[in-house]
Amino acid sequence: MSTNIWVWIAALLSLAIFSYLYKDNPAFRFAEHLFTGLSVGYFIVLYWNNYTLPYIVTPLVNHRWITLIPMALGMMYFFRFIPKLNHLILIPIAISLGFWNGMSIPLTFEADVLKQIQGTMVNTSMLTNIWDPQKGLMVGLLVMVGVISTITYFYFSREHKGPIKVTANVGIWFVMIGFGATFGYTVMARVSLLIARMQFLFTDWIHLIK
Amino acid sequence: MLKFLAKFGKLDRRIVFALLLAAILIPLLFSVKSHFYVDAATRSIYDYVDHIEPNGRPLMISFDYDPQVAAELDPMARAVLRHCFARGVKVVGLSLAPQGDAIGEGIITKVAKEYGKKNGIDYCYFGYRPGMTIIMLQMGVNVKKALPLDYYQTPYDSLPMMHNIHNYDDIALVLSLAGSTYPYSWIIFAGTKFKVKIAAGQTAVMAPDNYPFLQTGQLVGQLGGMKGGAEYEQLIVEAGYYHKSDIASKAMSAIAYSHLLIILLIILGNIGYFISKKIEQKK
Amino acid sequence: MRLKITGLLLMLCWATAAMAASPVTAAPPEAVSVAVIAPPSDIKAVDTPNDAGHAITVSWQASPDEAQKLIEGYEVLRSEISDGEFVKAGYVPYGFTSFDDQDVPANGKDYFYRVRAVGRESQALSAVSNPARASEQWFNTLRINALISCILFTIIVMIFIARARSGQSLFIRRIAGLAAVEEAVGRATEMGRPILYVPGISTIADVATIAALNILGQVAKKTAEYDTPLLVPNKDPVVFTVAQEIVKEAYNEIGRPDAYNHDSVFYLTDSQMGFASGVDGIMAREKPATNFFLGMFYAESLILAETGAETGAIQIAGTDAIHQLPFFITACDYTLIGEELYAASAYLSREPMLLGTLKGQDWSKAIIVLLLIIGLAASLINPGIRVIILQMLRVG
């Protein structure tokens, strides 16, 4: 058994949460509320230390008056509570949206669209290595068929009839296989979390596993 | 027999929980060993880190995750850090997720101690920096501006290791460990814009999302879930950078048996479902 | 051919001249260390294009000993004078034949480079490169393709929004899940049981939430028509207020303001799992005939859909949260996958903004598929065309 009080607290709280698997009970409720309260407290301290203090208080104390401009813009968000001035909230929203879109749209186009089309194209180096599971021609073609058919499934301007219907049906198969993979990975993720908790309880707490 | 199988269609969830617990605990308690192959995406990160010049450009590791997914990502962080420190590769640590702050510090100082590495000289840790994409973008121009103080409030200029680091060109690789889409943002805002190499360590839930980026080379490699961590642990033990298998490798047999159980339950559950449907139809 | 030979001769002359002019290189590389490895050759320095200055790209021919695995890497050295003192500018491992020196002290000033091959035991220093100057460029020509595609996409979307606004009817195919909506409302009416509509657990800023609220408006019109009870639990206070307005308006539009029940849209709690257990309770007590889970969902998706399935309700789900879709697909009768949710919302609401964007996206998808097919055909017929397409897609 561990002699560390924090390990004990962590272990007992873990057990309290696990007790929900049987049914809802006060121990579970206590742990849940403790966690909610704790995270609220953590975030208050975090926001104060990482945003308010370094970006507002410190610059103002050091007479960097230019800080007042972004601060005023930020304060405009509170106009939401004054019905008469409600429309002014659009100013900070417009500024941040404008910055954000300008920054991310071209980059997203490059990373998500251009680069991905490039990656989907079959290239001649694949011809030398037809069955290679990573870079072979067959994999390249499979990816290409998957991309084209899935896009066809999510194409809304034509009725799914004739060849479009066939392609879209192939597409939905690719989508479902993708979901299957995600589902499988999710199972692994959840099981991993449980294993890690078990390792903690049986290694750090009661020292049963060496 | 049919009636027995039909029962699997509606198995009480508590029985499922109990079975799963047994499938996990038995291999753990009896330290059952399991063999597993190393994924190409893991190996490519390993190979990349293995070729970073010792005492040259550092590896940047970003702890972009919260405690709830630490079980999957901590082993990766430890294994990669061990690989770096054993080879004399310098490390810059930071966190873009609010709760990653203390997680990163705990791991980096513990592993640094194992190898006798010194803060400020062999590694630096900057803790949580708010702003996420703003920080990613700012570091492409000026790392010092993005990370003015380290976790212990030491100014950037007082950290000898950081003297030669101006922007991403001075960083060998950025490894983002995350349970959400942080690596994707790294790809877009650091990789695409500033051409720095990006690698991802993701929880298993998120891992499938990154395959398109692996295929195009926008990611150097990826560590997926606890298995990714275990693979990296195995690679550094094989290469002699570390002496024993760590927590993720030990968990692999429990993962294998619990997966077997789940597969079995899915098959039985489906058989049970169809049989009970047939029985109902007969009635 | 003759031009090439002349060029080669000129280069040879230049190289000899350079060697004669520079005392450092006049001494053979052996002077640096035991001549175990050969130095890299043909060192070229040029201003790094499309950057903010202070960078020069150095490239070289790998040492012939790289094939024998005798080389570990290359050290790139910089100097202001060709025969002056060279300082280390960077290091790259073997296999690389170029390096971007990003720390060039001044723009518009000549710099010279040498590259040292580093082996396990010995080193070999190359000849001096040509002089190069770093300069800054205002426009990154490597990103022209991104600029063009952004402009093209924006224009397409704008055209379609304008067309939708001007009252032109834009065709959108009917989505399979939508047919189920009417059927589901009818079923609830027949059974005399309520309809449960959960508009996700995210904020109003989420596109999925907006889509869910659009569809809620249409569902509410149907429930108003048939006088079917509607239950709309909310997690976000702002979404709650908007949902309330939307349902009220729908009942007014149908001409049944009397049938509108103010308590049918209600606020539950802000806690994620608290909300899930609250909705679970409603499903267990009220036994709705139909459950709608549309909008943004997280880990609670499976809990909701599972409980709903157990109560025997018809379930229609829709979200763009990829990680929750598998759970909805397994536990619900109909699932609107990703963009289908937006499409359904545009289809039902006929909002010009939504319709226009959706049409614009469709066109962009068509262009992408076309490019892929041309690329495939080209690489089979003539690789040259493929190179041109790849050049167009090249990312800076």
Side-chain angles (χ1 to χ4, degrees):
Chain A
M1 283 274 175
S2 171
T3 49
N4 185 338
I5 175 107
W6 295 110
V7 171
W8 271 88
I9 292 175
L12 291 177
L13 285 172
S14 295
L15 291 180
I17 295 290
F18 280 145
S19 68
Y20 184 76
L21 290 176
Y22 184 70
K23 68 179 201 191
D24 200 359
N25 63 72
F28 168 76
R29 282 281 163 89
F30 170 76
E32 193 194 17
H33 290 150
L34 187 72
F35 176 69
T36 313
L38 208 75
S39 56
V40 171
Y42 180 84
F43 276 99
I44 289 177
V45 174
L46 185 101
Y47 283 129
W48 174 258
N49 276 326
N50 283 298
Y51 296 88
T52 324
L53 205 61
Y55 292 115
I56 298 177
V57 179
T58 318
L60 287 183
V61 169
N62 295 326
H63 306 295
R64 280 179 54 203
W65 302 119
I66 194 136
T67 314
L68 286 172
I69 299 173
M71 194 182 139
L73 281 169
M75 297 289 267
M76 281 182 167
Y77 275 106
F78 290 103
F79 285 145
R80 171 185 283 191
F81 302 109
I82 310 165
K84 260 193 181 169
L85 298 173
N86 203 351
H87 60 280
L88 287 178
I89 192 181
L90 290 177
I91 298 171
I93 291 179
I95 290 174
S96 52
L97 265 186
F99 164 77
W100 182 247
N101 285 340
M103 202 63 251
S104 62
I105 289 177
L107 289 174
T108 315
F109 243 104
E110 279 184 31
D112 259 2
V113 183
L114 300 181
K115 192 87 188 171
Q116 289 299 326
I117 302 178
Q118 207 176 11
T120 310
M121 281 195 183
V122 176
N123 60 48
T124 35
S125 73
M126 287 175 173
L127 293 170
T128 52
N129 238 340
I130 293 181
W131 297 104
D132 183 86
Q134 304 283 337
K135 294 187 168 75
L137 180 71
M138 284 303 144
V139 175
L141 283 175
L142 194 68
V143 169
M144 186 134 172
V145 171
V147 169
I148 293 178
S149 57
T150 306
I151 291 181
T152 311
Y153 178 81
F154 288 107
Y155 186 75
F156 301 104
S157 293
R158 285 270 175 285
E159 207 69 68
H160 278 181
K161 272 185 203 154
I164 293 186
K165 187 174 179 182
V166 178
T167 322
N169 281 345
V170 176
I172 199 69
W173 270 89
F174 273 95
V175 172
M176 288 301 159
I177 291 169
F179 285 151
T182 307
F183 210 151
Y185 257 120
T186 308
V187 169
M188 177 163 101
R190 301 295 179 246
V191 169
S192 307
L193 297 184
L194 181 60
I195 290 173
R197 242 345 48 190
M198 289 301 135
Q199 280 179 328
F200 166 74
L201 289 175
F202 286 86
T203 310
D204 296 1
W205 186 41
I206 51 174
H207 301 320
L208 247 174
I209 303 173
K210 287 283 172 300
Chain B
M1 180 67 190
L2 279 181
K3 269 190 183 162
F4 175 73
L5 277 174
K7 273 186 186 158
F8 281 100
K10 277 216 180 320
L11 206 56
D12 189 341
R13 48 203 272 164
R14 277 169 284 203
I15 296 176
V16 178
F17 293 144
L19 286 173
L20 191 61
L21 200 66
I24 286 171
L25 271 184
I26 293 169
L28 282 183
L29 285 172
F30 297 100
S31 307
V32 181
K33 287 250 169 355
S34 74
H35 297 279
F36 51 91
Y37 70 96
V38 175
D39 195 65
T42 305
R43 191 173 285 279
S44 53
I45 298 190
Y46 176 85
D47 287 342
Y48 195 92
V49 176
D50 218 41
H51 280 99
I52 299 177
E53 184 197 17
N55 291 316
R57 295 191 298 161
L59 176 134
M60 179 177 269
I61 180 165
S62 191
F63 295 85
D64 304 331
Y65 61 95
D66 302 339
Q68 58 255 42
V69 290
E72 287 183 85
L73 301 170
D74 282 358
M76 298 175 190
R78 277 196 295 265
V80 175
L81 284 172
R82 280 178 185 139
H83 190 192
C84 290
F85 288 147
R87 288 196 60 242
V89 171
K90 299 192 177 211
V91 174
V92 177
L94 78 156
S95 161
L96 297 180
Q99 299 183 69
D101 193 46
I103 299 179
E105 202 264 346
I107 293 177
I108 217 165
T109 43
K110 191 171 163 250
V111 178
K113 222 173 169 184
E114 287 174 13
Y115 291 86
K117 297 290 174 184
K118 285 197 179 64
N119 180 24
I121 296 164
D122 303 305
Y123 73 93
C124 288
Y125 184 66
F126 289 89
Y128 170 63
R129 298 297 306 153
M132 189 175 153
T133 47
I134 307 284
I135 299 293
M136 293 175 188
L137 289 168
Q138 206 170 28
M139 285 197 293
V141 184
N142 191 335
V143 179
K144 187 179 151 184
K145 263 196 178 159
L147 313 169
L149 297 169
D150 81 349
Y151 186 81
Y152 313 98
Q153 304 299 311
T154 317
Y156 192 88
D157 287 331
S158 309
L159 300 161
M161 189 196 126
M162 302 306 286
H163 285 174
N164 292 321
I165 295 167
H166 310 295
N167 54 35
Y168 285 129
D169 297 319
D170 307 313
I171 305 282
L173 176 74
V174 176
L175 171 68
S176 169
L177 301 171
S180 61
T181 53
Y182 284 88
Y184 174 70
S185 301
W186 278 105
I187 291 170
I188 290 184
F189 295 103
T192 308
K193 192 161 170 66
F194 298 105
K195 307 282 166 276
V196 61
K197 295 281 179 198
I198 311 284
Q202 291 249 266
T203 50
V205 176
M206 298 302 295
D209 288 17
N210 288 332
Y211 280 108
F213 301 111
L214 284 172
Q215 192 221 354
T216 54
Q218 285 162 291
L219 275 179
V220 169
Q222 169 171 257
L223 305 172
M226 203 174 232
K227 179 152 186 287
E231 288 167 1
Y232 212 98
E233 282 176 5
Q234 182 171 296
L235 285 173
I236 58 168
V237 170
E238 276 171 8
Y241 292 125
Y242 193 61
H243 57 280
K244 58 171 192 198
S245 56
D246 203 20
I247 200 155
S249 307
K250 285 179 188 162
M252 285 321 284
S253 56
I255 287 195
Y257 284 105
S258 53
H259 281 191
L260 268 178
L261 174 76
I262 290 167
I263 293 170
L264 201 72
L265 286 176
I266 290 175
I267 295 172
L268 286 175
N270 274 299
I271 295 175
Y273 172 77
F274 284 111
I275 291 177
S276 56
K277 229 177 158 184
K278 274 262 166 72
I279 293 175
E280 260 174 48
Q281 274 173 2
K282 271 186 193 166
K283 278 179 188 169
Chain C
M1 190 63 195
R2 244 167 91 188
L3 264 177
K4 262 193 192 161
I5 294 172
T6 329
L8 273 173
L9 277 174
L10 272 174
M11 268 172 73
L12 203 69
C13 287
W14 177 80
T16 341
M19 276 174 137
S22 144
V24 183
T25 42
E30 284 86 326
V32 181
S33 64
V34 194
V36 186
I37 50 174
S41 53
D42 200 13
I43 318 297
K44 286 199 185 94
V46 286
D47 171 38
T48 308
N50 301 303
D51 68 346
H54 294 283
I56 289 174
T57 302
V58 187
S59 61
W60 58 89
Q61 291 286 326
S63 161
D65 291 321
E66 215 182 282
Q68 276 86 51
K69 304 214 162 152
L70 292 172
I71 310 285
E72 293 210 314
Y74 298 97
E75 245 174 45
V76 179
L77 311 168
R78 179 201 327 119
S79 174
E80 290 181 18
I81 343 167
S82 64
D83 53 357
E85 193 190 334
F86 278 78
V87 290
K88 185 177 168 184
Y91 174 92
V92 287
Y94 69 89
F96 286 85
T97 53
S98 77
F99 173 75
D100 285 355
D101 177 12
Q102 299 275 355
D103 295 317
V104 178
N107 284 339
K109 203 172 159 192
D110 278 342
Y111 287 96
F112 299 86
Y113 286 87
R114 301 181 78 172
V115 180
R116 180 186 282 148
V118 183
R120 269 177 222 284
E121 277 138 21
S122 56
Q123 305 181 329
L125 195 60
S126 74
V128 180
S129 74
N130 56 305
R133 290 171 177 206
S135 66
E136 56 191 348
Q137 287 79 40
W138 283 92
F139 195 79
N140 186 348
T141 50
L142 289 177
R143 292 224 156 98
I144 285 183
N145 51 9
L147 179 72
I148 293 174
S149 38
C150 283
I151 292 175
L152 192 73
F153 179 71
T154 315
I155 290 176
I156 294 174
V157 170
M158 293 294 224
I159 290 175
F160 278 108
I161 292 178
R163 279 177 59 180
R165 283 220 172 110
S166 70
Q168 272 189 44
S169 75
L170 298 176
F171 176 78
I172 290 182
R173 75 176 161 84
R174 201 171 158 79
I175 293 139
L178 280 184
V181 173
E182 199 148 334
E183 185 195 321
V185 178
R187 181 171 178 260
T189 317
E190 271 170 32
M191 295 172 80
R193 292 218 222 124
I195 284 173
L196 176 75
Y197 193 106
V198 184
I201 67 161
S202 186
T203 60
I204 195 83
D206 229 310
V207 192
T209 311
I210 297 171
L213 289 172
N214 272 327
I215 300 175
L216 171 64
Q218 307 303 316
V219 171
K221 277 184 197 163
K222 295 251 161 17
T223 57
E225 237 174 89
Y226 300 129
D227 210 2
T228 318
L230 178 69
L231 299 168
V232 188
N234 286 280
K235 178 182 172 280
D236 184 273
V238 183
V239 176
F240 157 63
T241 334
V242 180
Q244 209 165 29
E245 281 306 309
I246 283 175
V247 173
K248 199 164 143 187
E249 212 176 296
Y251 274 76
N252 279 338
E253 242 176 77
I254 292 298
R256 296 290 314 276
D258 54 302
Y260 171 67
N261 176 2
H262 192 69
D263 294 330
S264 64
V265 184
F266 51 95
Y267 178 77
L268 221 52
T269 164
D270 194 30
S271 144
Q272 180 194 13
M273 288 304 158
F275 180 79
S277 51
V279 175
D280 272 4
I282 295 170
M283 285 191 271
R285 284 190 308 273
E286 311 275 343
K287 298 243 179 317
T290 307
N291 298 332
F292 289 94
F293 303 117
L294 301 175
M296 192 68 195
F297 289 88
Y298 299 92
E300 73 291 336
S301 64
L302 186 59
I303 302 175
L304 295 177
E306 268 265 312
T307 320
E310 265 174 38
T311 62
I314 279 198
Q315 304 203 91
I316 299 172
T319 182
D320 55 0
I322 295 175
H323 299 103
Q324 309 309 330
L325 276 166
F327 305 125
F328 277 144
I329 289 171
T330 39
C332 296
D333 299 276
Y334 297 96
T335 309
L336 299 171
I337 302 165
E339 269 199 297
E340 282 186 322
L341 176 66
Y342 313 149
S345 124
Y347 181 88
L348 289 172
S349 69
R350 310 306 295 184
E351 176 81 36
M353 200 73 161
L354 294 174
L355 272 178
T357 325
L358 196 73
K359 282 300 248 191
Q361 280 181 30
D362 265 3
W363 270 71
S364 313
K365 284 177 206 160
I367 293 173
I368 289 172
V369 169
L370 209 68
L371 268 176
L372 283 175
I373 293 173
I374 295 175
L376 177 68
S379 50
L380 295 177
I381 304 162
N382 180 357
I385 305 174
R386 192 175 165 278
V387 172
I388 296 171
I389 297 176
L390 281 183
Q391 211 54 32
M392 276 161 59
L393 296 169
R394 171 204 57 196
V395 172

